[in-house]
């Protein structure tokens, strides 16, 4: 049976619009499609493939666990889940772990937990959730409503209530919103989908302080920033604040679906037996792969390598901009990088994406004006150099086509 892009339109729900390229195999940061065209991968499956494709440590963990036990349900616990949880606890502020299968599910658990803590400790009126415009927290109805783009949550009937938003980095607006009925504040410690926007130190500190003052839990959504992406194991480490709850997914499984919510014991205690759960959450196969990914990323060598690679990207993008004058700014942290299009190229990020693909390069956008790069944390330096050369050609194609 010949599989083509047309089949997508025949058999798939039309909520995505995938490119014509259908990749069939990959190794490290190189990907090949059905016609054996080769691509350099600066996208990493949207910040998921933190160790590239088919990393030997992950393949081994998958194969080894695949011969042992795949699934048990949470009627029993399992060794890979407990080992991974132990490692996450040792490496972070957290004392307890809840496993889910995705970022949205990890956030859903965090929000439900925050509501339950507020109810138990303060009463039903303490239910307000504050989040930020342009924030992204997933696509379940609760998480997408907490996300800062109403367009994503509109059109599905009545929304979960008592959720308000203000601008990221706007301390005054935030201070005006938070009150004693606020139960939680959910934020990304660097907005990813919203356009690669870093928080100011003052903003993060003010949010932390006001949460403490009002007994509101601070939830860091590190689904995109976590597991080495910014050059720290988790981005909060570089921000001089500690959240009460943190969520992690994407890179956690290095390409195998898993998410987690981590928190302190006093908070975790409110998710009593039967209050929340997941059939697949903490699945041994997922946890075995995630354990291998976590072990491999959480080393000085890999984390320092992220900073070295960031510099290569920044230097390369600056040189391209010198030549073609397309970006107003290159921003982000570690290997979560956004090249912001200048006035002349507003709204055209997707054109650069398509031109890149035509030149053998996979990257991403973050909104209509930002080209996003989230490659493997261990992408070979040579692949960065060659990938940037392909990107320069792509930029040239867009510039010359106008
Ligand atoms: C991708 C993302 C999510 C959603 O994760 P899924 O695994 O798609 O549910 C949530 N929050 C942030 C910050 C993300 O980048």
């Amino acid at each position: 049976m010949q599989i083509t892009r047309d089949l997508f339109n025949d058999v798939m729900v039309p909520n995505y619009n995938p490119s014509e390229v259908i990749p069939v195999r990959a190794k490290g940061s190189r990907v090949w499609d059905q016609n054996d065209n080769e691509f350099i991968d600066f996208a990493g499956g949207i910040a998921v493939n933190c160790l590239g494709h088919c990393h030997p440590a992950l393949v081994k963990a998958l194969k080894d666990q695949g011969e042992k036990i795949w699934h048990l349900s949470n009627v029993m616990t399992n060794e890979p889940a407990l080992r991974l949880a132990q490692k996450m606890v040792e490496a972070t502020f957290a004392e307890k772990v809840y496993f889910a299968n995705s970022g949205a599910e990890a956030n859903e658990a965090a929000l439900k937990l925050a509501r339950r803590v507020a109810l138990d400790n303060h009463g039903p009126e303490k239910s307000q959730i504050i989040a930020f415009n342009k924030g992204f927290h997933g696509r379940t109805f609760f998480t997408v409503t907490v996300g800062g783009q109403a367009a994503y949550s509109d059109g599905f009937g009545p929304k979960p209530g008592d959720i308000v938003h203000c601008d990221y980095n706007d301390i005054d607006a935030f201070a005006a919103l938070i009150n004693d009925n606020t139960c939680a504040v959910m934020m990304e410690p660097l907005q990813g989908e919203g356009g690669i926007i870093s928080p100011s130190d003052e903003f993060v500190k003010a949010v932390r302080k006001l949460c403490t003052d009002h007994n509101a839990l601070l939830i860091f959504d590190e689904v995109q920033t976590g597991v080495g992406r910014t050059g720290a194991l988790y981005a909060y480490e570089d921000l001089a604040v500690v959240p009460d709850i943190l969520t992690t997914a994407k890179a956690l499984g290095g390409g195998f679906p898993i998410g987690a919510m981590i928190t302190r014991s006093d908070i975790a205690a409110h998710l009593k037996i039967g209050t929340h759960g997941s059939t697949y959450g903490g699945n041994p196969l997922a946890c075995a792969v995630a354990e291998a990914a976590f072990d491999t990323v959480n080393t000085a060598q890999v984390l320092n390598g992220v900073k070295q690679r960031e510099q290569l990207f920044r230097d390369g993008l600056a040189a391209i901009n010198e030549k073609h004058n397309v970006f107003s700014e290159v921003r982000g942290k570690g290997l979560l990088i956004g090249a912001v299009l200048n006035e002349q190229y507003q709204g055209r990020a997707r054109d650069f994406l398509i031109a890149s693909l035509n030149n053998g390069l996979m990257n991403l956008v973050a909104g209509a004006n930002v080209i996003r790069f989230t490659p493997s944390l261990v992408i070979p330096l040579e692949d960065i150099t060659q990938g940037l050369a392909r990107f320069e050609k792509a930029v040239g194609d867009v510039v010359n086509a106008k």
Side-chain angles (χ1 to χ4, degrees), residues 59-74 76-81 101 256-258 279-289:
V59 172
K60 180 171 187 314
L62 184 67
K63 283 186 176 163
D64 287 353
Q65 190 60 39
E67 303 278 352
K68 286 182 188 156
I69 196 160
W70 287 28
H71 185 75
L72 280 162
S73 91
N74 286 298
M76 317 224 160
T77 189
N78 68 79
E79 292 184 357
N101 311 291
F256 201 97
I258 182 170
T279 296
Y280 263 110
N283 167 287
L285 208 47
C287 290
V289 177

Side-chain angles (χ1 to χ4, degrees), residues 169-299:
N169 279 328
D170 187 337
I171 297 175
D172 293 342
F174 179 75
L177 274 186
I178 194 166
N179 63 77
D180 287 343
N181 286 337
T182 306
C183 84
V185 174
M186 179 171 263
M187 68 179 279
E188 295 161 84
L190 189 166
Q191 287 191 327
E193 303 298 314
I196 318 294
I197 301 161
S198 295
S200 70
D201 288 348
E202 307 77 65
F203 176 65
V204 175
K205 279 191 200 127
V207 169
R208 174 66 275 182
K209 180 173 185 308
L210 287 165
C211 282
T212 305
D213 291 351
H214 292 279
N215 277 315
L217 296 177
L218 178 57
I219 305 168
F220 268 13
D221 177 348
E222 294 229 27
V223 170
Q224 189 151 171
T225 53
V227 195
R229 180 58 48 193
T230 65
L233 183 63
Y234 285 98
Y236 81 86
E237 296 167 29
D238 285 338
L239 292 175
V241 298
V242 178
D244 300 300
I245 302 175
L246 182 151
T247 56
T248 173
K250 289 200 167 91
L252 184 60
F256 201 97
I258 182 170
M261 171 194 76
I262 65 176
T263 187
R264 297 194 310 268
S265 297
D266 60 310
I267 299 170
H270 293 262
L271 274 193
K272 296 197 171 68
I273 293 170
T275 50
H276 192 56
S278 159
T279 296
Y280 263 110
N283 167 287
L285 208 47
C287 290
V289 177
E291 184 192 3
F294 199 81
D295 284 344
T296 309
V297 169
N298 192 21
T299 58

